[in-house]
Amino acid sequence: MLELQNICFTADGKDILKDISLKIDDKFVAITGPNGSGKSTLLKIIMGIIKPTSGKVIFDGQDITDLAVNERANLGISFAFQQPVRFKGLKVRDLLSIAGGDGIDLTKDCSYLAAVGLCAKDYLNREINDTLSGGEMKRIEIAMAAARGGRLSLFDEPEAGIDLWSFQSLIEVFENLRNVTNGNILIISHQERILEIADKIIYLKDGRVDKFDESSKIMDELQMRRRSGCGCTYVKKGGACNG
């Protein structure tokens, strides 16, 4: 279980996160909210990329607030960036081998790629460079998360920058990952179809937790806000909610 205790983060004199306290133990939890509400900052604090100004991060009963990124990774926490990193000279099979930690296993590697809709024959020996599209990179990164089998997988807007066809496939990928993973998933998204498959949704606004509840309840409220003309620009097929 992940527990955040009174997390605050201040940068350049601005309060980005304000007293965030949460207990997260559901299998698939989504974070959404207006741009600038602190979503990515919160995920980076959980991973240890940045340190909170105050507060604690507790993972499975252990205080990990002062642990480095690699130490958290060793505990089973992984992070997928909004823009996947490309590694010149490395091939897809190399990354899957590193993620799995048990050397090259063609049977397993093929199953990980198949789970994200990629043909192993076409991709195992592809180099991680600019010949891969944004959608392909996102799916390879998700395959790496599956290969690692982490206890907590963090995803920062995996739908960002990909085309509509790739997005349709991405939904199926996360539905499958949700069903097969033994760990927990925490994902930042503005897309309704991703939010709908979450067990719960955290709605951040102005650096605070505005709502944290079952997915269906949060989705209903977002739709009600939109219909009532509150200024919320959230729409059914995706888009950021500006409160």
Side-chain angles (χ1 to χ4, degrees), residues 141-168:
E141 191 167 44
I142 296 168
M144 287 175 60
R148 194 164 192 278
R151 291 155 64 190
L152 177 62
S153 299
L154 310 173
F155 295 91
D156 188 354
E157 290 193 58
E159 73 270 17
I162 65 173
D163 56 60
L164 181 60
W165 185 89
S166 294
F167 175 69
Q168 300 294 339

Side-chain angles (χ1 to χ4, degrees), residues 7-217:
I7 295 293
C8 297
F9 182 74
T10 301
D12 299 323
K14 182 179 179 181
D15 294 329
I16 308 299
L17 295 176
K18 308 166 187 175
D19 198 28
I20 301 287
S21 291
L22 290 165
K23 289 185 179 180
I24 303 170
D25 57 4
D26 294 274
K27 192 164 190 178
F28 195 119
V29 176
I31 304 175
T32 194
N35 292 332
S37 59
K39 300 182 297 295
S40 293
T41 299
L42 184 61
L43 223 62
K44 289 175 182 177
I45 284 175
I46 294 169
M47 188 67 239
I49 297 170
I50 57 178
K51 188 174 181 179
T53 305
S54 61
K56 293 183 178 181
V57 180
I58 310 295
F59 183 59
D60 284 349
Q62 178 182 350
D63 186 348
I64 64 170
T65 310
D66 295 323
L67 294 188
V69 172
N70 64 308
E71 293 174 306
R72 299 188 196 207
N74 288 336
L75 291 177
I77 304 176
S78 62
F79 189 98
F81 289 91
Q82 202 173 114
Q83 296 298 326
V85 180
R86 298 174 189 268
F87 302 90
K88 187 176 180 180
L90 284 181
K91 296 181 179 180
V92 172
R93 65 191 302 164
D94 298 323
L95 291 186
L96 291 175
S97 174
I98 293 169
D102 53 2
I104 295 174
D105 185 321
L106 290 180
T107 301
K108 287 184 178 179
D109 292 346
C110 289
S111 68
Y112 296 137
L113 290 174
V116 297
L118 297 178
C119 174
K121 185 175 74 172
D122 295 336
Y123 283 90
L124 273 177
N125 292 309
R126 290 281 298 274
E127 188 173 326
I128 306 297
N129 56 27
D130 291 337
T131 65
L132 293 168
S133 70
E136 289 171 322
M137 282 298 303
K138 291 289 177 70
R139 283 188 268 180
I140 290 168
E141 191 167 44
I142 296 168
M144 287 175 60
R148 194 164 192 278
R151 291 155 64 190
L152 177 62
S153 299
L154 310 173
F155 295 91
D156 188 354
E157 290 193 58
E159 73 270 17
I162 65 173
D163 56 60
L164 181 60
W165 185 89
S166 294
F167 175 69
Q168 300 294 339
S169 300
L170 191 67
I171 299 299
E172 297 176 5
V173 166
F174 273 104
E175 287 177 333
N176 186 50
L177 184 62
R178 183 191 186 284
N179 292 330
V180 302
T181 185
N182 291 320
N184 293 21
I185 298 170
L186 187 58
I187 180 172
I188 294 174
S189 181
H190 292 298
Q191 296 291 344
E192 183 182 28
R193 288 188 60 194
I194 289 181
L195 299 180
E196 284 178 338
I197 63 176
D199 297 307
K200 289 185 178 178
I201 295 174
I202 300 166
Y203 186 86
L204 291 186
K205 184 177 181 181
D206 299 326
R208 299 184 186 276
V209 177
D210 185 62
K211 299 287 181 184
F212 179 37
D213 211 331
E214 295 177 5
S215 174
S216 59
K217 293 180 180 179

Side-chain angles (χ1 to χ4, degrees), residues 203 210-211 213 215-228 230 232 234:
Y203 186 86
D210 185 62
K211 299 287 181 184
D213 211 331
S215 174
S216 59
K217 293 180 180 179
I218 299 293
M219 296 299 290
D220 287 345
E221 182 164 342
L222 289 175
Q223 295 293 354
M224 287 177 64
R225 289 185 186 184
R226 180 174 63 88
R227 288 194 294 268
S228 66
C230 71
C232 171
Y234 180 90

